[in-house]
Amino acid sequence: MKKLIYFIGIVFSLVPLAACANDNVQINENQKVKMILDLDTGIDDALALAYALADPKIDLIGVVASYGNVTMEESVSNTLELLDMLDRKDVPVFRGADRAIGENTPFEVMPISRFIHGDNGIGDIQIAASPRVADKQDGVDFMIESAKKYGKDLIIVAVGPMTNLNEAVQREPNFKNMVGNLVIMGGALIVDGNVNNLAEANIFQDPVSANELFRSGAPVTMVGLDVTQRTLLTKKDTKVWRDLGTTSGKAYADMTDYYIDAYLVNAPELGGCALHDPLAVAVAVHPDLVKVLPLHMRVGTSDEDWGRTIGINGKMNDPDPNVSVCVDVEVDKFVNSFMDLLTNLFKAN
């Protein structure tokens, strides 16, 4: 385990994401947004996938499946099965990274991830296997090709490690100028991490890639634990899905109850589970849900600060900050909309 260091507080003023200085965030309420999801498909990823399918503003053009909560191949299988169950066999799935940048040994899922998401990543429930397979095209190449095709109309939402996004920036130097926005679920600025008191799990998996992404000049919105831990789902909510009597309603209720039970072991005071990944998807197309701190950010890559997301002291007054960090969220507005969208989706499947 990496060594822990002290936490430095920050004094800041809040601005709505929609009014942020990042000109790449351009959301037209009357137009669908082209979106790619970068998933390490565990339970909250499954919820994020359902949200992306249910929100009428989102045109999901593909999913890149990566390592993190599960192995990359498990992520591929889970994603294909969930898409089939939700009657969206038209959405292609691509293989992403199977380990962190620079790692030579095969990826091993952290025990805490198996505890939270189950051995199969989706709460150990069984859903019908998909006859489909992952697309032959490499997932990062798909991101780059889509950026060239759609430009600023494309938003990529990454809710696993930042390995694929960093690889896209490295392969195509102009990638950072092509896309409309890169929204990530990761990091913790003003609260403790969930791997240790400094680091959030997605960033912890590959802090080198996260640090390079933050400092690349790409438009990045960080949806971290600062806001995601405030958006909670309870078993009262999952009962609504189970009572629909549909295949997807029961499956999502069962897997989310597994997730809630894991939360109740480690954080019983919450009374439910945090909607980490779904919130990132929502923020990508509804930026009015959050307020942000525009900040020059870095990610720790030494033993002392491995995975820590923090402002750069020497650049606090510099213009053009590299990350828009979400620090406040309209909780009820998001959770109510989330429940309405997913309940309607599960009614039909």
Side-chain angles (χ1 to χ4, degrees):
M1 181 63 67
K2 305 296 179 183
K3 296 178 182 178
L4 308 183
I5 62 175
Y6 59 89
F7 178 80
I8 299 177
I10 286 181
V11 179
F12 53 83
S13 60
L14 308 184
V15 297
L17 178 55
C20 180
N22 180 359
D23 292 333
N24 290 284
V25 182
Q26 298 174 348
I27 305 297
N28 183 340
E29 286 298 325
N30 298 317
Q31 181 179 354
K32 278 199 170 190
V33 171
K34 302 290 183 183
M35 181 178 290
I36 295 172
L37 287 183
D38 185 346
L39 305 178
D40 57 331
T41 309
I43 296 171
D44 57 333
D45 303 78
L47 292 167
L49 178 64
Y51 183 97
L53 298 176
D55 192 311
K57 276 193 59 58
I58 297 172
D59 179 9
L60 184 62
I61 64 171
V63 177
V64 178
S66 186
Y67 75 99
N69 294 321
V70 291
T71 67
M72 182 269 288
E73 290 295 346
E74 288 173 322
S75 181
V76 169
S77 296
N78 288 347
T79 305
L80 288 168
E81 290 169 2
L82 291 165
L83 284 169
D84 288 5
M85 181 177 69
L86 295 171
D87 196 27
R88 289 302 305 271
K89 295 180 181 180
D90 58 303
V91 178
V93 177
F94 303 82
R95 286 185 173 87
D98 65 357
R99 67 194 73 183
I101 188 172
E103 283 291 334
N104 296 318
T105 57
F107 170 72
E108 293 186 8
V109 178
M110 292 189 295
I112 186 63
S113 297
R114 292 294 191 198
F115 173 75
I116 293 172
H117 298 278
D119 288 335
N120 70 352
I122 50 174
D124 292 336
I125 70 164
Q126 300 300 316
I127 58 179
S130 174
R132 296 195 292 150
V133 297
D135 195 280
K136 292 181 180 179
Q137 185 179 21
D138 172 77
V140 174
D141 286 341
F142 171 68
M143 288 181 175
I144 295 170
E145 178 185 278
S146 299
K148 291 178 178 178
K149 181 176 182 180
Y150 297 111
K152 301 297 185 185
D153 293 331
L154 176 68
I155 293 177
I156 301 177
V157 181
V159 296
M162 304 301 111
T163 316
N164 295 317
L165 285 183
N166 183 48
E167 179 63 23
V169 171
Q170 300 303 320
R171 287 188 198 177
E172 172 50 69
N174 199 39
F175 179 80
K176 64 185 180 182
N177 300 315
M178 296 176 184
V179 294
N181 201 12
L182 305 177
V183 179
I184 69 165
M185 190 281 121
L189 181 65
I190 56 177
V191 298
D192 289 339
N194 57 3
V195 175
N196 55 44
N197 69 333
L198 295 180
E200 178 277 330
N202 287 337
I203 302 294
F204 185 87
Q205 299 273 17
D206 189 355
V208 174
S209 282
N211 189 49
E212 291 180 357
L213 177 68
F214 278 12
R215 305 183 78 163
S216 69
V220 177
T221 297
M222 177 178 130
V223 184
L225 300 180
D226 313 287
V227 287
T228 64
Q229 290 185 140
R230 298 178 59 191
T231 58
L232 302 171
L233 208 66
T234 69
K235 288 190 175 181
K236 179 180 179 181
D237 299 312
T238 60
K239 184 178 184 300
V240 173
W241 298 342
R242 183 174 287 105
D243 289 348
L244 294 173
T246 61
T247 299
S248 64
K250 182 179 185 304
Y252 267 85
D254 288 347
M255 77 171 80
T256 307
D257 280 354
Y258 185 103
Y259 195 49
I260 292 171
D261 287 340
Y263 262 82
L264 293 178
V265 171
N266 292 325
E269 68 279 3
L270 294 180
C273 66
L275 295 171
H276 300 295
D277 296 351
L279 180 60
V281 178
V283 167
V285 291
H286 303 290
D288 59 314
L289 286 171
V290 292
K291 291 181 180 179
V292 302
L293 169 62
L295 189 65
H296 280 281
M297 292 283 289
R298 67 174 180 86
V299 180
T301 58
S302 69
D303 285 350
E304 289 73 24
D305 65 352
W306 187 263
R308 183 188 190 194
T309 49
I310 191 67
I312 301 172
N313 288 1
K315 292 190 174 183
M316 296 299 288
N317 293 320
D318 283 3
D320 301 322
N322 60 356
V323 180
S324 296
V325 185
C326 297
V327 290
D328 196 14
V329 58
E330 296 279 356
V331 174
D332 291 341
K333 183 177 180 180
F334 166 65
V335 174
N336 291 338
S337 175
F338 171 86
M339 278 300 299
D340 288 345
L341 289 169
L342 266 67
T343 300
N344 285 331
L345 176 68
F346 299 154
K347 280 180 183 178
N349 299 284

